[in-house]
Amino acid sequence: MRALTRTLVSVTTAVGIAAGTLGVAGTAAAAPAAQPAVSAAAAPRAVNNLGLSSAQAKKVQRDIKANWGYKGAIDGLLGTESWKGIQRPLKKYNGYKGKIDGIVGKETVKALQRLLKARYGYTGAIDGIAGSGTKAAFKRLADRI
């Protein structure tokens, strides 16, 4: 009798699993609640001020709005659209060879470092790493705009 009961419970469990529920077997497992999709408007923006204060970032945004096609808000947050505006002069004058995509990657930082070395006192390596020297020179750039 026990063997028959175990067999029936095992079969019932297998059928319940195949059907997507274990309620018949007495051990129901709740499915995780569906998460609402995040709309593009609600998605967080990637912001990278590279050490600039909000006031300094606004100065940069005003400059790229006046000269390099930035159409976004002057909000002191250097997001993707701000960085696209920064990448344009970096591409024209400072050896940036990547896409105008607004991503602050190694090539963007290298081109920025070349600009900062030529005009804003950056003395470090052109290595694509936005360390303290890069950030300090970027602040000098922002203060002189």
Side-chain angles (χ1 to χ4, degrees):
M1 184 72 160
R2 281 188 182 185
L4 179 62
T5 302
R6 276 194 305 233
T7 302
L8 285 175
V9 169
S10 296
V11 169
T12 304
T13 302
V15 170
I17 290 170
T21 178
L22 292 178
V24 176
T27 56
Q35 296 294 322
V38 177
S39 71
R45 288 185 354 174
V47 174
N48 189 344
N49 279 16
L50 283 187
L52 297 186
S53 69
S54 177
Q56 290 168 320
K58 286 178 182 180
K59 289 172 121 180
V60 170
Q61 287 174 320
R62 283 187 200 99
D63 183 68
I64 59 176
K65 188 169 211 150
N67 300 300
W68 296 101
Y70 174 62
K71 294 178 180 19
I74 306 298
D75 58 6
L77 302 172
L78 299 181
T80 303
E81 293 305 312
S82 296
W83 279 101
K84 285 180 183 179
I86 294 168
Q87 285 172 332
R88 288 183 189 101
L90 292 177
K91 188 169 197 113
K92 185 169 182 175
Y93 299 113
N94 303 102
Y96 175 65
K97 292 178 176 54
K99 291 181 183 178
I100 304 298
D101 57 8
I103 297 170
V104 189
K106 190 169 190 162
E107 294 307 312
T108 299
V109 175
K110 281 181 174 182
L112 180 62
Q113 288 171 330
R114 283 190 281 277
L115 166 66
L116 298 173
K117 187 168 269 229
R119 302 188 63 196
Y120 297 97
Y122 176 66
T123 59
I126 307 298
D127 59 6
I129 299 169
S132 59
T134 302
K135 291 176 181 179
F138 193 39
K139 288 180 179 197
R140 285 190 293 278
L141 177 153
D143 287 339
R144 292 180 189 168
I145 293 177

